[in-house]
Amino acid sequence: MSDELTIAGDRVLVTAEAPQAAPDRTRPRRMLWGAGKSGRAAGGSGAGRAPRIVVLDGLRLLAALSVVLFHFLAGYGTIPWQRTAGELFPTLHRIAQFGWLGVAFFFMISGFVICMSGWGKSLGHFWQGRVLRLFPLYWAAVVLSSAAARLGPHVPGEPKVTFGQMLTNLTMLNEPLGVHHVDNVYWTLWIELRFYLLFSLVVLLGSGYRRVATFCWAWALGSVMAPASGIPLLEQLLMPRWAPFFIAGIAFYLVRRAGRLEGETVGILALSWLLMQHRLPEIMAGEGHGINWKVCLTAVTVMYLVMGLIALGKLDRIQWRWLPVAGAISYPLYLVHQSLGIRVIWRWNEQWGAWPTLLGVIAGLVLLSWLLHRVVERPLTRLLRRALGSPGGRPQKLVG
């Protein structure tokens, strides 16, 4: 069958009128399609489309906003406010210091969604979906950020953005090419691309419980051995710092398909949590987040619990109409908030006042993100879809 479980803002390419796939013979059928209390199959049914997990959309916007607050308020210097954020926003400043954890939550959600979107797809369909999802808005953001860097207000110490740097950034491969990001927030996209590359192995071999679970075990163990191997390429591919978050997300999707926790998925989740808590101080030090490890560990543990509730279908009743919009604007908000927001704050906060500036900039960025989704992402995605065509020659529809 066609696995059409989607979330808005992370679109899944599915084949129109695709033939029904054979069931996974490596697990008992009840393990794969166990229905929750509502009677709906956790992984979908052959008769219709599985329910949209809209609560993920809201969580993605929450994660994006936490990163926004981190970049605007967590610093100890006088940029971008001319005065310290701790002086202007004493309480919010302390909370915003933990906003970087939104990135970790993004990666966990990504593990869930990419496993979901890649399940039962060909490698061509999988990568077409990823390109259509990431690149149209990213290209627009790179151009917009580069224009703002050259023409907008300049923040002290800001490096100059060259035309060549902008062009190289458009590939999303500028980091391995040794070219600085036009906007520092883009570093997470290179991590996402490496995750897609790794998960392509599962898609190529064919998704199924056993292959996906084995992939999780192998990646977890590989991420432990990679730093000691002395092979930089291996460490680049296996991403020891961030692997536990992606692995947890994948395992939660296995729970979603099973409709319940099973011994092996509990083992994968436990291992990912243990590896995460070990890597957390390294992440904090590497990213310059010298804050309380216990608080960060508690926050990430709560993320695990929330994802567990989603995987078990406990939050499926949340169907607020605004959540798909929240999911749609989370990606553009993440892409443009720093390059544009910091400049506006630096230029006008003393005239407008601290709180009006903060609230006004966030509201403006949310509106801009919605416009980018409607005016830029949708038309560019349609054009790019036509240019890419349909892998395998069958008509495609874009769900979500």
Side-chain angles (χ1 to χ4, degrees), residues 73-194:
L73 300 176
Y76 290 94
T78 56
I79 296 175
W81 296 93
Q82 280 91 30
R83 296 164 64 186
T84 66
E87 181 183 357
L88 295 171
F89 309 93
T91 302
L92 199 55
H93 167 70
R94 289 193 291 271
I95 297 172
Q97 289 179 316
F98 298 92
W100 66 274
L101 288 165
V103 171
F105 206 12
F106 271 130
F107 290 155
M108 196 180 299
I109 294 172
S110 181
F112 186 102
V113 171
I114 296 309
C115 186
M116 175 176 65
S117 62
W119 200 282
K121 305 298 186 298
S122 70
L123 189 61
H125 290 158
F126 173 73
W127 273 103
Q128 188 182 79
R130 294 303 91 211
V131 169
L132 290 173
R133 170 58 186 149
L134 287 186
F135 278 94
L137 271 175
Y138 174 72
W139 289 332
V142 168
V143 173
L144 193 60
S145 297
S146 300
R150 296 184 68 88
L151 305 174
H154 290 276
V155 178
E158 177 187 6
K160 182 180 179 181
V161 174
T162 66
F163 186 65
Q165 181 184 0
M166 183 195 75
L167 293 178
T168 306
N169 267 250
L170 291 174
T171 67
M172 210 181 282
L173 300 173
N174 53 287
E175 186 171 326
L177 290 172
V179 176
H180 291 298
H181 297 289
V182 168
D183 188 331
N184 289 334
V185 300
Y186 300 161
W187 67 271
T188 61
L189 300 180
W190 172 232
I191 292 178
E192 285 281 346
L193 277 181
R194 283 180 280 172

Side-chain angles (χ1 to χ4, degrees), residues 49-373:
R49 184 176 302 174
R52 185 188 301 272
I53 314 176
V54 295
V55 70
L56 284 175
D57 293 322
L59 292 175
R60 290 172 65 183
L61 180 60
L62 180 63
L65 288 172
S66 74
V67 175
V68 170
L69 290 178
F70 174 76
H71 287 141
F72 288 176
L73 300 176
Y76 290 94
T78 56
I79 296 175
W81 296 93
Q82 280 91 30
R83 296 164 64 186
T84 66
E87 181 183 357
L88 295 171
F89 309 93
T91 302
L92 199 55
H93 167 70
R94 289 193 291 271
I95 297 172
Q97 289 179 316
F98 298 92
W100 66 274
L101 288 165
V103 171
F105 206 12
F106 271 130
F107 290 155
M108 196 180 299
I109 294 172
S110 181
F112 186 102
V113 171
I114 296 309
C115 186
M116 175 176 65
S117 62
W119 200 282
K121 305 298 186 298
S122 70
L123 189 61
H125 290 158
F126 173 73
W127 273 103
Q128 188 182 79
R130 294 303 91 211
V131 169
L132 290 173
R133 170 58 186 149
L134 287 186
F135 278 94
L137 271 175
Y138 174 72
W139 289 332
V142 168
V143 173
L144 193 60
S145 297
S146 300
R150 296 184 68 88
L151 305 174
H154 290 276
V155 178
E158 177 187 6
K160 182 180 179 181
V161 174
T162 66
F163 186 65
Q165 181 184 0
M166 183 195 75
L167 293 178
T168 306
N169 267 250
L170 291 174
T171 67
M172 210 181 282
L173 300 173
N174 53 287
E175 186 171 326
L177 290 172
V179 176
H180 291 298
H181 297 289
V182 168
D183 188 331
N184 289 334
V185 300
Y186 300 161
W187 67 271
T188 61
L189 300 180
W190 172 232
I191 292 178
E192 285 281 346
L193 277 181
R194 283 180 280 172
F195 168 48
Y196 301 162
L197 183 63
L198 283 174
F199 198 76
S200 292
L201 181 62
V202 174
V203 177
L204 182 63
L205 295 176
S207 52
Y209 175 90
R210 175 45 47 211
R211 289 192 182 97
V212 174
T214 301
F215 171 80
C216 290
W217 291 118
W219 189 8
L221 295 176
S223 71
V224 172
M225 295 185 288
S229 68
I231 305 175
L233 179 60
L234 190 61
E235 192 166 358
Q236 279 286 312
L237 280 174
L238 298 181
M239 303 178 291
R241 289 184 183 180
W242 303 108
F245 300 99
F246 290 109
I247 291 169
I250 295 171
F252 280 123
Y253 182 64
L254 292 180
V255 174
R256 179 79 183 189
R257 289 188 68 87
R260 68 178 190 180
L261 285 167
E262 298 176 297
E264 185 170 20
T265 48
V266 170
I268 294 171
L269 288 168
L271 179 59
S272 73
W273 188 91
L274 291 170
L275 293 178
M276 174 277 299
Q277 64 82 29
H278 175 74
R279 296 293 184 189
L280 201 52
E282 179 185 356
I283 294 172
M284 293 165 60
E287 302 301 326
H289 311 304
I291 50 181
N292 192 294
W293 173 81
K294 291 182 179 179
V295 174
C296 292
L297 181 63
T298 300
V300 178
T301 303
V302 170
M303 295 175 196
Y304 271 70
L305 294 175
V306 171
M307 289 300 295
L309 292 175
I310 293 171
L312 292 170
K314 302 299 184 182
L315 302 182
D316 285 355
R317 292 184 179 180
I318 299 178
Q319 295 289 325
W320 303 327
R321 292 184 178 182
W322 59 270
L323 287 175
V325 178
I329 67 175
S330 60
Y331 182 44
L333 177 62
Y334 178 80
L335 289 177
V336 303
H337 77 272
Q338 181 164 267
S339 60
L340 302 185
I342 294 294
R343 299 177 194 284
V344 174
I345 292 172
W346 175 259
R347 174 64 180 81
W348 283 288
N349 79 91
E350 291 188 314
Q351 292 95 316
W352 297 348
W355 275 104
T357 300
L358 178 65
L359 297 176
V361 167
I362 292 176
L365 287 170
V366 168
L367 177 60
L368 176 62
S369 300
W370 181 80
L371 290 173
L372 286 171
H373 166 65

